[in-house]
Amino acid sequence: MDRFLVEGGRKLKGTVTVSGSKNACLPVLVASLLTDEPFVLHRVPDLRDVRTTLKILQALGKKVQYQNGTVTILADGALKNTLPYELVKQMRASFWVAGPLLSRFKQAVIPLPGGCALGARPVDIHLKGFERLGAACTTQQGNVVLSAQALHPAKITLRFPSVGATQNLMMCAALIPGETVLENVAKEPEIEDVSAVLRQMGAEVFSDEKGRLVVRGRSALHGVEHTVVADRIESGSYMLAAAATRGDVRVEGCVPEHNSMLLDCLQEAGVPLEIGADYVQVKPYDTPLKPLRVKTAPYPGFATDLQAPWMALMSLCNGTAEVDEDIFENRFMHAPELVRMGADIVTEKSIARITGVKKLSGAHVMASDLRGGFALLIAGLCASGVTEIERVYHIDRGYENPEGKLNALGARVTRYNPDKDDF
Ligand code: UD1
């Protein structure tokens, strides 16, 4: 398994270009199941989760080509409506195929994704929504079995604005003629990307004056050509890496308003920024970093996916910062690893208290999840000495070419595999 060796103590400097959004790409790729017409997507990042999604589409019977960031998906005979566990267990978002398959076939068998490192992560909100659309949902031998004589539009209130459930239900409703109204939905920018694709496919999708998502479905949908929105989590991660090393970095090709909360927090903490139409310049500073209290929340609140990279930055603040993780029950696995690098972090239930230290020091650490992995990279960039990060495959799930992008900014990050490479 690949590892990273990070030589710390170098300020990042230069320009980094943001890739297409992983979290928009996954549902948009899956939306191709709603039609037999060609689907062409541009700015598709080369990530493990994207490759897993492409394998899922192939397993379901689609023909897939991926070249230079463009994915072309074509029909290749009849589609299947069951998915092997082997693929689902690699990525929870594989459950997003349920909505499109249910609306196309009135029947789908999807292995239950189960728990993950971040906690239980049930799919009850997805299933309740499918039931409201007319499906019967049962669990048999570890599979969710969805079936319906006929589906019908409905008014559905989500008990929590789940991102995945919103996407799954809007994709399902797009192929059900009539008006489905989704209340208490997620408002993340990735939802707008899925909406844009469904609109191009022929469905009417819009937010009404009460903030409800209205989907007017059609009995058949078309193919699309679409460019995926910039990855706001990758953008934010590089801004945090730049700020943590007190570097001078232009994060280019992003949508700054998608990171409004993070930009406000960075400025409040004393990190100078220049915010353009499609870039953010993180500027050098020599004042102490102010500790802040942040609480993760659905968009436009502080993104849970930026909580771990933010914690790496706050490890160097002047005072005691606080993070309240309000979305996932178990998302502090990076904290003990940061402590191994000299950080002073105490966690209790959903709260982490981070007392800033003058310096982090390189250590042998382990990435336990995607964003927590990037937090260790940030810490390694600031630390004295060398940091060795194991289980880089977590980082590869969601960051395209992280060592290439960081090294172009003056970092020294080396990927190696102890089973293959000599060091
Ligand atoms: C998506 C993102 C992930 C991000 C998360 C929250 C993708 C591929 N992943 O994940 O990066 O961290 O949004 O912004 O887009 N929940 C339930 N029942 C459900 C569904 C969710 O209890 O049926 C709970 C989850 O356990 C979690 C919370 O709701 O505690 C938020 O989950 P959700 O918004 O659904 O996240 P995902 O869509 O899985």
Side-chain angles (χ1 to χ4, degrees):
M1 277 193 285
D2 285 1
R3 298 182 184 181
F4 276 148
L5 287 177
V6 187
E7 284 176 49
R10 304 166 71 87
K11 292 186 180 191
L12 299 185
K13 197 170 184 338
T15 297
V16 60
T17 303
V18 174
S19 300
S21 157
K22 167 182 92 74
N23 286 353
C25 238
L26 305 186
V28 163
L29 286 166
V30 161
S32 66
L33 295 168
L34 290 163
T35 182
D36 280 339
E37 293 186 18
F39 231 72
V40 181
L41 299 179
H42 303 293
R43 204 187 192 186
V44 176
D46 192 355
L47 303 172
R48 256 184 76 216
D49 277 8
V50 166
R51 297 228 171 234
T52 303
T53 307
L54 298 182
K55 278 189 208 150
I56 286 171
L57 295 177
Q58 280 171 329
L60 290 170
K62 288 281 191 183
K63 197 169 151 192
V64 175
Q65 288 163 3
Y66 184 21
Q67 228 173 14
N68 302 329
T70 293
V71 169
T72 307
I73 304 165
L74 301 169
D76 189 20
L79 277 182
K80 297 190 188 76
N81 62 354
T82 63
L83 200 58
Y85 178 62
E86 225 20 67
L87 288 169
V88 174
K89 75 172 189 200
Q90 290 179 36
M91 190 187 67
R92 180 185 148 81
S94 40
F95 192 72
W96 290 203
V97 301
L101 290 182
L102 175 64
S103 58
R104 268 203 89 173
F105 300 107
K106 313 291 174 281
Q107 221 163 26
V109 181
I110 319 285
L112 202 55
C116 75
L118 308 186
R121 293 185 88 176
V123 287
D124 59 301
I125 305 172
H126 303 236
L127 300 183
K128 285 242 161 56
F130 294 143
E131 281 172 351
R132 297 277 299 138
L133 293 169
C137 306
T138 55
T139 310
Q140 292 170 20
Q141 292 152 349
N143 294 316
V144 173
V145 180
L146 304 170
S147 62
Q149 293 290 336
L151 295 167
H152 50 73
K155 186 166 164 246
I156 304 168
T157 303
L158 279 61
R159 76 164 167 82
F160 177 85
S162 153
V163 175
T166 303
Q167 293 165 340
N168 224 338
L169 294 173
M170 63 200 281
M171 288 192 284
C172 188
L175 203 55
I176 303 173
E179 182 172 291
T180 290
V181 180
L182 302 172
E183 234 172 340
N184 195 29
V185 285
K187 299 210 164 27
E188 272 67 3
E190 296 76 29
I191 304 286
E192 179 43 41
D193 225 35
V194 178
S195 301
V197 163
L198 294 177
R199 278 195 288 272
Q200 217 194 116
M201 294 178 83
E204 258 183 83
V205 184
F206 60 92
S207 278
D208 70 8
E209 66 290 345
K210 292 182 179 155
R212 302 178 305 184
L213 195 66
V214 180
V215 182
R216 292 192 186 132
R218 298 278 179 267
S219 54
L221 295 169
H222 300 294
V224 296
E225 181 160 0
H226 175 75
T227 300
V228 176
V229 67
D231 195 315
R232 67 194 166 97
I233 306 302
E234 191 202 23
S235 315
S237 301
Y238 282 101
M239 289 173 206
L240 287 163
T245 63
R246 295 178 177 253
D248 190 1
V249 173
R250 185 179 168 104
V251 178
E252 202 164 68
C254 60
V255 184
E257 73 208 54
H258 290 170
N259 281 117
S260 299
M261 180 60 85
L262 176 69
L263 299 181
D264 287 351
C265 289
L266 280 170
Q267 285 175 317
E268 206 184 321
V271 179
L273 303 176
E274 179 189 319
I275 302 170
D278 65 348
Y279 72 90
V280 172
Q281 178 92 32
V282 179
K283 296 183 168 174
Y285 58 103
D286 53 18
T287 47
L289 193 63
K290 217 175 119 194
L292 296 191
R293 296 173 97 167
V294 302
K295 181 177 180 147
T296 62
Y299 187 85
F302 195 97
T304 173
D305 286 350
L306 288 173
Q307 178 260 107
W310 173 262
M311 196 185 283
L313 173 72
M314 281 295 117
S315 299
L316 295 162
C317 74
N318 182 32
T320 300
E322 199 174 284
V323 165
D324 186 350
E325 173 53 65
D326 218 31
I327 303 289
F328 289 106
E329 62 190 37
N330 182 26
R331 205 171 194 178
F332 286 149
M333 288 94 66
H334 46 283
E337 301 301 303
L338 291 172
V339 168
R340 288 174 57 75
M341 300 179 69
D344 181 352
I345 303 170
V346 178
T347 59
E348 199 194 337
K349 294 187 180 148
S350 71
I351 307 280
R353 278 186 198 87
I354 308 125
T355 302
V357 294
K358 288 248 165 342
K359 195 90 197 138
L360 295 169
S361 53
H364 194 139
V365 290
M366 177 117 57
S368 53
D369 68 292
L370 163 55
R371 308 299 171 187
F374 201 87
L376 299 180
L377 257 178
I378 294 178
L381 294 170
C382 306
S384 56
V386 176
T387 296
E388 180 161 357
I389 305 175
E390 283 194 42
R391 301 199 180 167
V392 162
Y393 64 87
H394 285 297
I395 302 173
D396 291 334
R397 283 188 47 214
Y399 291 93
E400 186 172 45
N401 188 18
E403 70 273 38
K405 289 190 179 188
L406 288 169
N407 289 344
L409 296 173
R412 286 222 182 118
V413 180
T414 312
R415 182 186 289 263
Y416 88 106
N417 184 330
D419 304 326
K420 290 189 202 148
D421 304 331
D422 272 346
F423 256 86

